[in-house]
C-alpha cells in the first residue's frame, strides 16, 4: 500500500503543479487530483496537499515536495 497524496486542481493552478509532477513520477506514491478538496481558504493562501488525509502546506512547490516526503517518512502506513 502506497501513501496517498491528494491535490486540488485550483491549488495546482496556483503553483503546486511542479510538486504534483514530481510526486506523480514516484512509483511509491499514489497521487490524485480533485476538482475541489473543500479547503478554499487555505487553497487561496498557500500551496497544499493532503497526505493520507493530513494537510501539508508550503510556500513553494519545492518546499511542498520536501514537506510531503518528510511527512511520509515520519508517518509510515504500518
Amino acid at each position: 500500500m502506497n501513501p496517498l497524496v491528494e491535490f486540488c486542481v485550483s491549488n495546482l493552478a496556483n503553483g503546486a503543479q511542479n510538486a504534483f509532477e514530481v510526486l506523480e513520477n514516484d512509483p511509491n506514491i499514489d497521487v490524485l487530483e480533485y476538482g475541489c478538496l473543500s479547503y478554499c481558504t487555505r487553497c487561496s493562501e498557500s500551496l497544499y496537499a493532503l497526505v493520507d488525509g493530513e494537510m501539508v502546506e508550503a510556500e513553494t512547490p519545492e518546499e511542498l515536495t520536501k514537506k510531503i516526503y518528510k511527512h511520509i517518512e515520519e508517518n509510515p502506513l504500518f
Side-chain angles (χ1 to χ4, degrees):
M1 179 176 206
N2 292 333
L4 176 63
V5 180
E6 301 166 282
F7 286 90
C8 169
V9 70
S10 294
N11 204 253
L12 292 175
N14 287 341
Q17 183 67 36
N18 288 343
F20 176 87
E21 291 172 3
V22 169
L23 297 167
E24 188 175 45
N25 289 318
D26 187 328
N28 297 312
I29 298 176
D30 293 330
V31 181
L32 294 176
E33 173 186 329
Y34 292 98
C36 182
L37 291 172
S38 299
Y39 292 97
C40 299
T41 302
R42 286 196 173 159
C43 188
S44 66
E45 296 174 353
S46 68
L47 303 180
Y48 82 95
L50 296 180
V51 182
D52 294 323
E54 294 185 40
M55 182 168 294
V56 175
E57 294 180 272
E59 294 298 317
T60 68
E62 295 80 14
E63 182 186 8
L64 182 60
T65 303
K66 287 179 187 177
K67 285 186 169 186
I68 289 170
Y69 276 116
K70 183 177 179 181
H71 182 84
I72 290 169
E73 181 181 313
E74 293 176 351
N75 300 282
L77 291 174
F78 23 78

